[in-house]
Amino acid sequence: MNSSSARASPTISSRADATVLLAHAGGQVVGMASYSLLWPAAGAEKSLYLKELFVREAARRQGVAAALMTAVRSTAAKMGCTRVEWTADTDNPAALAFYQSRGAEPRGGKVFFRAEGP
């Protein structure tokens, strides 16, 4: 099939494109995790892609990020996902250490790309 005859399906799931989990403390939102589901082309396995994990500075180092990551991984398991994936900024050593402390390991073999605009 050449690219001019390829057709894209606008919907592969009735689920929302992204979901946001919120962490609350003292009546305030202190953190959030947003994710989407991915269906890799290489197989029928489903994965959860963590798009963003954020905790307000005043709430950091109080278990908020750990609780959000636990909720994300639990959600992935309930949805039948075989893995959770995400990227992290290389200039954020605290985040890198946090993810590794939760049992995640950096993966080589991929390069992050971004195309601006449509």
Side-chain angles (χ1 to χ4, degrees):
M1 175 186 300
N2 64 41
S3 62
S4 63
S5 66
R7 299 276 187 253
S9 173
T11 306
I12 59 173
S13 171
S14 61
R15 299 193 60 84
D17 289 336
T19 300
V20 178
L21 302 176
L22 299 176
H24 297 86
Q28 298 285 333
V29 173
V30 296
M32 56 82 69
S34 65
Y35 65 85
S36 295
L37 297 178
L38 301 176
W39 287 265
E45 295 177 338
K46 197 168 34 169
S47 68
L48 185 147
Y49 183 78
L50 178 64
K51 298 174 87 164
E52 189 74 37
L53 178 66
F54 175 77
V55 176
R56 290 181 187 236
E57 193 158 343
R60 292 181 185 165
R61 304 209 190 304
Q62 297 177 29
V64 175
L68 285 166
M69 285 299 290
T70 297
V72 164
R73 292 180 81 166
S74 175
T75 298
K78 288 176 187 170
M79 297 177 99
C81 297
T82 58
R83 62 189 174 267
V84 176
E85 300 174 302
W86 63 93
T87 60
D89 293 329
T90 57
D91 63 351
N92 189 343
L96 299 174
F98 168 74
Y99 294 135
Q100 288 182 316
S101 76
R102 307 286 303 163
E105 292 296 328
R107 304 283 274 200
K110 295 203 180 212
V111 177
F112 176 74
F113 287 92
R114 175 179 290 151
E116 299 292 337

